[in-house]
Amino acid sequence: MSEVKVPELAESITEGTISEWLKSVGDQVEKGENIVELETDKVNVEVISEVAGVLTEIKAEEGDTVEVGSVIAVVSDGEAQPASNDAKPEKQEEPSKEDAGKPEATEATEDTETKEESASSNERIQATPSARRLAREKGIDLSKVKTQAGDVIRPEDVESAAKPQPQAKPAEKSQPAQAKSNDNPSKPVVREKLSRRRQTIAKKLLEVSNNTAMLTTFNEVDMTNVMELRKRKKEKFQEDHNGTRLGFMSFFTKAAVAALKKYPDVNAEIDGTDLVLKQFYDIGIAVSTEEGLVVPIVKDCDKKNFAEIEQDIVDLAVKAKDKKLGLDDMMGGSFTITNGGVFGSLMSTPIINGTQAAILGMHSIVTRPIAIDKDRMENRPMMYIALSYDHRIIDGKQAVGFLKTIKDLIENPEDLLLES
């Protein structure tokens, strides 16, 4: 017998939420096979079985919060035999023989056999663990449930199968149901529990707001030169680097590295009464997903070229949207860049990420009339940039200088080769 425990996740993660059981009680599991998915503050983690055997006990349901080190399941030696294993403990017929002449005993025995047959047939039907649990709760035979998509029965299929019973009297049933969910039926609302990730995002953002002296400074960047350079080089760049596209993020990442070297306090954090100056350049790139914002880390940006940075950003964005980010993808960032411009944001004050000292915000590129000198005006592609920073660490002069460095390097992109 082997206990399945919540593994060590990361230094800052002490608990997770059971997202989905990938195996049910009675299922055969192989050594190293994923049996349950945990949702943590940062990423989803699949927990494996350390031994081969049969999953004999599940100690935490989907939606439960479990701490690192706690036992959530038991895997026993042997092979799965769901039908015979279920039949043996319930097939204790000696006591019922004393009452063999009684109709009640005969009916009870037949009922038990029917339930066993139903349970055995249910075990052979492909269904998610949450669908099986819901079917048990509602007393629904899975063999009579029709799937809406694919061959695997899901909770929504069970819900559909359950609908005809309560809808026997639709006119009478609809009013009480609304009364329970809404105090004012004319103002309908939908109440949903926040996902663990959304709860964590809310908690962390409040912590940053409450525990830092956050301030934001702004500047604007003329994107003319970098856009012209990108236009000239993008096809050759893509050919030389196996299809990797040249975007704006690599320019801003390289500019940020150069500015961090010039203003090291921006690449720092406070630890108690100590100032920790980081001498590495792992840049977090904010990525929007259906479940909320995540910030995977592009490691060692000072040692990577434009193509490597662009490819890393693409790879991390795909992993984020496919929910395949690992803990290593999320840990150790020293500075963060967020680009609200992809959603049309003209200007914003981004919130610092975790214990970092600052965050750079990029925004939409908008054509605006710009004074070139006293006599000339030109329409130029302009972007507002913002630096939110912890005023406990960084003074206004440093913040303005940092942002000015970003501006100068983007407006003169060839200087990035010398500075980064």
Side-chain angles (χ1 to χ4, degrees):
M1 184 179 74
S2 174
E3 293 179 332
V4 180
K5 298 181 179 181
V6 179
E8 292 290 338
L9 300 169
E11 184 178 352
S12 61
I13 300 177
T14 60
E15 62 182 21
T17 299
I18 302 291
S19 175
E20 180 181 3
W21 280 102
L22 307 176
K23 292 286 185 178
S24 302
V25 171
D27 285 354
Q28 184 78 34
V29 296
E30 301 298 330
K31 183 177 180 180
E33 186 176 8
N34 296 325
I35 61 174
V36 63
E37 184 180 76
L38 293 177
E39 184 180 358
T40 73
D41 294 354
K42 298 179 180 294
V43 295
N44 285 14
V45 178
E46 290 180 333
V47 180
I48 65 171
S49 174
E50 298 292 342
V51 298
V54 179
L55 182 62
T56 55
E57 186 178 0
I58 289 177
K59 293 179 175 289
E61 297 294 330
E62 292 177 2
D64 289 352
T65 297
V66 290
E67 295 183 353
V68 169
S70 62
V71 179
I72 55 176
V74 176
V75 176
S76 299
D77 297 335
E79 296 183 357
Q81 295 178 341
S84 59
N85 285 348
D86 288 346
K88 284 182 180 178
E90 293 197 22
K91 203 172 183 181
Q92 297 175 356
E93 296 184 359
E94 283 83 357
S96 63
K97 285 180 181 179
E98 297 176 2
D99 301 322
K102 296 182 180 180
E104 293 85 351
T106 303
E107 291 172 4
T109 303
E110 291 175 353
D111 185 55
T112 301
E113 291 174 352
T114 302
K115 287 181 178 178
E116 288 175 1
E117 291 173 4
S118 177
S120 298
S121 64
N122 281 349
E123 288 296 333
R124 293 191 293 270
I125 294 171
Q126 291 185 322
T128 65
S130 54
R132 290 182 185 278
R133 186 174 70 252
L134 186 60
R136 287 196 299 270
E137 292 173 356
K138 294 182 176 292
I140 294 174
D141 187 349
L142 287 176
S143 65
K144 298 179 180 179
V145 176
K146 295 181 180 179
T147 61
Q148 298 175 12
D151 298 327
V152 179
I153 295 175
R154 303 186 181 280
E156 53 265 30
D157 301 325
V158 179
E159 291 285 2
S160 296
K163 281 183 180 179
Q165 296 177 358
Q167 287 182 352
K169 297 179 180 180
E172 295 178 5
K173 273 284 181 181
S174 60
Q175 292 180 353
Q178 283 187 348
K180 288 182 180 179
S181 59
N182 296 316
D183 293 334
N184 186 352
S186 65
K187 303 292 183 181
V189 299
V190 176
R191 185 181 295 274
E192 296 180 351
K193 185 176 181 180
L194 287 173
S195 67
R196 181 176 181 81
R197 186 156 301 149
R198 180 55 64 182
Q199 291 180 49
T200 301
I201 290 172
K203 178 182 176 182
K204 296 297 184 184
L205 292 178
L206 283 175
E207 285 179 358
V208 170
S209 298
N210 293 333
N211 298 327
T212 63
M214 195 172 71
L215 188 64
T216 304
T217 187
F218 299 90
N219 211 317
E220 62 178 353
V221 179
D222 186 344
M223 299 290 290
T224 301
N225 291 336
V226 75
M227 290 177 71
E228 288 180 353
L229 174 62
R230 180 172 174 266
K231 184 177 180 179
R232 291 198 313 271
K233 300 292 185 180
K234 65 178 182 179
E235 291 184 4
K236 184 70 164 56
F237 185 91
Q238 195 165 345
E239 290 175 5
D240 292 344
H241 298 287
N242 300 317
T244 300
R245 295 183 179 182
L246 180 61
F248 294 123
M249 288 304 301
S250 55
F251 287 94
F252 277 91
T253 301
K254 283 303 222 179
V257 169
L260 289 170
K261 289 181 177 180
K262 188 173 181 180
Y263 297 94
D265 284 354
V266 182
N267 203 39
E269 68 177 73
I270 290 178
D271 183 14
T273 57
D274 295 333
L275 179 65
V276 181
L277 294 166
K278 301 171 185 177
Q279 297 183 338
F280 57 89
Y281 303 92
D282 294 350
I283 309 299
I285 306 295
V287 177
S288 177
T289 69
E290 291 182 359
E291 296 182 347
L293 198 71
V294 293
V295 187
I297 311 300
V298 179
K299 307 290 178 63
D300 300 320
C301 290
D302 57 321
K303 301 173 184 177
K304 292 179 177 176
N305 59 32
F306 282 72
E308 291 170 326
I309 291 173
E310 289 287 356
Q311 190 58 55
D312 281 356
I313 292 172
V314 170
D315 292 343
L316 290 169
V318 170
K319 289 172 72 175
K321 290 175 182 177
D322 292 343
K323 301 180 182 179
K324 293 183 179 179
L325 285 172
L327 289 171
D328 185 59
D329 295 323
M330 306 287 290
M331 306 301 291
S334 61
F335 182 77
T336 296
I337 300 175
T338 181
N339 185 5
V342 296
F343 304 111
S345 172
L346 183 62
M347 186 179 291
S348 67
T349 57
I351 297 178
I352 299 168
N353 183 26
T355 59
Q356 295 174 9
I359 180 172
L360 175 67
M362 299 165 54
H363 299 93
S364 295
I365 300 173
V366 178
T367 301
R368 297 199 302 271
I370 300 297
I372 304 303
D373 52 37
K374 291 182 179 180
D375 302 317
R376 291 184 302 151
M377 295 280 292
E378 288 186 10
N379 289 331
R380 294 289 183 96
M382 304 298 294
M383 175 194 288
Y384 288 118
I385 55 175
L387 183 75
S388 292
Y389 60 97
D390 190 342
H391 211 343
R392 298 176 302 165
I393 303 174
I394 304 165
D395 293 330
K397 179 180 178 181
Q398 294 170 297
V400 172
F402 180 93
L403 213 54
K404 182 67 162 51
T405 300
I406 299 285
K407 170 184 170 67
D408 291 343
L409 289 173
I410 296 299
E411 291 184 343
N412 300 280
E414 65 275 6
D415 290 346
L416 284 172
L417 299 175
L418 304 175
E419 295 289 343
S420 62

